[in-house]
Amino acid sequence: MSQFDNTPIMSEPAGAPNPTSGVPGPAGWVQTWIKAISQPNEQTFIDISESPYAQSKTAYLWIFIATTLTYLVSGIIQAVIAGMGIGGQNGMGAALGGSLVAVVCLSPIVGALSVLFFALGVAIVQWIAKLFGGAGTYNKLTYAVASFSVPISLVSMFLIPFSSVPYLNICTGLISIGVSFYSLFLEITAVKAVNRFGWGQAIGSVVIPFVAILVVCGCVVGIGIAILGPMIGDIFNQINQSLQGIQ
């Protein structure tokens, strides 16, 4: 068989044991997350998406918990670092306390918004996958994508606070870039496994939404510049004339 064969890996026969489906609840969640990031291949995501627990509501719960916890922990660490940086000023305690309260109050809101954007993003990817002839479903893809997104998010939360620290931000930046590429690879693999098609269709399903967003943003920026450009030009001309009058 050619090494460039795009034939998708088929799921195991009916009745075969699924290593990700035997343990319900949080213990099973952790097993699924570990398997998703430690065994990055199609069969892994076939097993995960075919689990009897592969439901979108479980994926939403995972995303909500992970994002809320990530924002909470990184926000607390950043607030403490900022508070310590204030020095010996009397307002340090009040500023730190206010920051912590804001982080605690905002974290569930951020978690809820992340679920909304996650659901929308996966829906778009699966819709495009269907156009390419994909055989997967929205429930299976949300579960498969969440299975690696959550552990990556939980690990990354400890890198966020140090992104503003000199020298350390270089290391965390490089690590973040590597994690982003790995996450992209896992998403493409998951889409391919769930929809049972080739790498080309999987890459297209994941990349096309990003390209579409960039095109839309570019059009919006271009229209905004076209509309506001003359106004901005007039403002700068008035400022220039005022400066020349002062001279």
Side-chain angles (χ1 to χ4, degrees):
M1 182 180 293
S2 172
Q3 61 178 334
F4 299 105
D5 187 10
N6 274 334
T7 303
I9 299 176
M10 301 305 294
S11 59
E12 297 178 357
N18 186 338
T20 64
S21 65
V23 183
W29 297 355
V30 175
Q31 288 184 4
T32 302
W33 300 344
I34 293 175
K35 182 178 178 65
I37 61 174
S38 64
Q39 301 178 33
N41 56 66
E42 290 180 64
Q43 190 59 53
T44 291
F45 291 107
I46 288 176
D47 292 340
I48 290 174
S49 62
E50 294 297 331
S51 166
Y53 308 110
Q55 299 178 357
S56 57
K57 62 180 181 181
T58 303
Y60 297 156
L61 179 60
W62 288 355
I63 296 297
F64 177 80
I65 293 175
T67 307
T68 301
L69 185 61
T70 299
Y71 184 83
L72 185 62
V73 172
S74 62
I76 290 175
I77 296 176
Q78 287 178 327
V80 171
I81 292 175
M84 293 174 61
I86 294 176
Q89 297 181 7
N90 295 329
M92 181 181 66
L96 179 58
S99 299
L100 293 178
V101 170
V103 167
V104 172
C105 293
L106 289 175
S107 56
I109 299 176
V110 173
L113 290 175
S114 69
V115 172
L116 177 62
F117 286 112
F118 171 79
L120 180 60
V122 175
I124 294 174
V125 170
Q126 183 56 35
W127 175 68
I128 296 175
K130 284 291 187 181
L131 296 180
F132 284 135
T137 64
Y138 174 76
N139 277 341
K140 292 181 178 180
L141 188 59
T142 52
Y143 193 81
V145 173
S147 68
F148 68 81
S149 299
V150 169
I152 287 178
S153 177
L154 293 176
V155 171
S156 299
M157 71 180 176
F158 295 103
L159 300 177
I160 296 175
F162 301 102
S163 60
S164 59
V165 179
Y167 302 109
L168 286 179
N169 56 1
I170 299 176
C171 297
T172 56
L174 293 175
I175 294 174
S176 297
I177 292 174
V179 170
S180 297
F181 278 109
Y182 185 57
S183 180
L184 178 61
F185 168 74
L186 291 176
E187 183 174 1
I188 294 173
T189 305
V191 172
K192 183 179 188 299
V194 170
N195 286 280
R196 309 295 202 274
F197 50 26
W199 286 109
Q201 294 95 323
I203 294 173
S205 300
V206 174
V207 172
I208 286 176
F210 289 103
V211 175
I213 292 174
L214 291 177
V215 171
V216 171
C217 292
C219 292
V220 171
V221 172
I223 294 173
I225 293 175
I227 295 175
L228 299 177
M231 298 174 58
I232 297 175
D234 291 339
I235 293 174
F236 277 107
N237 288 333
Q238 292 176 6
I239 294 174
N240 188 31
Q241 292 174 2
S242 298
L243 292 176
Q244 291 177 353
I246 295 174
Q247 293 176 353

